[in-house]
């Protein structure tokens, strides 16, 4: 039987040890790098440095400062991406974003899952679930996307929405929890 590393277990959404030395080191490195990069005024230099920390990112990648994430290696972004100020991607599990996606300010995509059972939480059980965003999606400001959500192509998410479940292509969703308010 092959023994998985804590990083592999984490990325697969299995219970893992968040205090694993490799994971702690990566988070420390990311905090230090992001603190430095977010201070860079030159857009091209800042975004090239961000891209170097991600799993992959396509052409025409642009994120304003203050971009935050945990690991970077679980973030996969397609072509023509724009992220406004204060973008947070907690990438315990993979976050996959399609082509031509635009995120307003203060958007957060969160893959970590904490157990509902208090004993498990107290025992530091950590897990996650991936987030997948289709092509040509637009998120208003202060959108929150929770673990395990998949959004289809051409989804528009209204400002302030909390997306707790998956939605198909070509819908406008809004609210807390988000619900379909219009089909496109």
């Amino acid at each position: 039987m092959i023994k998985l590393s804590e990083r592999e277990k984490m990325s697969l959404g299995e219970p893992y040890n968040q205090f694993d030395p490799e994971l702690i080191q990566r988070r420390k490195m990311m905090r230090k790098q992001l603190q430095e990069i977010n201070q860079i005024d030159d857009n091209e230099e800042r975004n090239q440095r961000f891209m170097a920390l991600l799993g992959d990112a396509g052409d025409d990648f642009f994120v304003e400062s203050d971009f935050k994430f945990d690991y970077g290696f679980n973030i996969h972004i397609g072509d023509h991406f724009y992220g406004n100020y204060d973008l947070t991607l907690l990438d315990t599990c993979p976050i996959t974003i399609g082509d031509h996606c635009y995120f307003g300010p203060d958007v957060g995509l969160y893959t970590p899952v904490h157990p509902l059972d208090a004993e498990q939480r107290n025992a530091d059980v950590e897990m996650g679930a991936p987030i997948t965003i289709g092509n040509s999606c637009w998120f208003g400001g202060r959108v929150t996307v929770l673990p395990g959500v998949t959004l289809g192509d051409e989804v528009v998410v209204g400002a302030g929405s909390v997306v707790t479940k998956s939605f198909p292509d070509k819908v406008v969703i809004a609210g807390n929890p988000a619900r379909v308010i219009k089909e496109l």
Side-chain angles (χ1 to χ4, degrees), residues 11-132:
S11 294
L12 291 169
E14 296 179 7
Y16 71 96
N17 176 6
Q18 67 176 319
F19 302 112
D20 175 72
E22 176 191 3
L23 297 177
I24 289 171
Q25 179 61 30
R26 180 68 181 203
R27 289 190 305 266
K28 282 181 175 180
M29 183 183 77
M30 288 300 102
R31 280 193 299 270
K32 185 177 180 179
Q33 291 280 325
L34 291 170
Q35 185 176 27
E36 178 184 317
I37 296 168
N38 276 306
Q39 300 306 310
I40 297 172
D41 290 333
D42 181 82
N43 290 331
E44 187 173 334
E45 179 186 353
R46 186 180 65 252
N47 282 288
Q48 287 298 318
R49 298 266 312 269
F50 283 147
M51 288 174 65
L53 299 176
L54 304 180
D56 54 272
D59 294 334
D60 297 321
F61 170 90
F62 190 99
V63 176
E64 301 285 358
S65 62
D66 198 17
F67 187 21
K68 297 175 281 285
F69 50 86
D70 291 320
Y71 302 101
F73 53 71
N74 274 334
I75 299 172
H76 310 280
I77 299 175
D79 294 334
H80 310 290
F81 176 78
Y82 176 79
N84 211 316
Y85 294 100
D86 298 314
L87 176 61
T88 302
L89 304 178
L90 299 185
D91 63 319
T92 295
C93 281
I95 294 175
T96 305
I97 300 169
D99 297 334
H100 295 279
C101 289
Y102 305 94
F103 289 4
D106 298 310
V107 167
L109 279 61
Y110 309 137
T111 66
V113 174
H114 302 284
L116 295 177
D117 179 72
E119 286 184 36
Q120 288 183 316
R121 280 194 314 277
N122 294 344
D124 292 321
V125 172
E126 293 283 328
M127 299 170 288
I131 293 174
T132 303

Side-chain angles (χ1 to χ4, degrees), residues 151-168:
L151 298 180
D153 295 336
E154 300 180 38
V155 172
V156 176
V157 184
S161 296
V162 178
V163 184
T164 62
K165 65 180 186 175
S166 298
F167 289 92

Side-chain angles (χ1 to χ4, degrees), residues 136-157:
S136 301
C137 292
W138 174 33
F139 290 18
R142 295 191 185 268
V143 166
T144 300
V145 180
L146 298 184
V149 166
T150 296
L151 298 180
D153 295 336
E154 300 180 38
V155 172
V156 176
V157 184

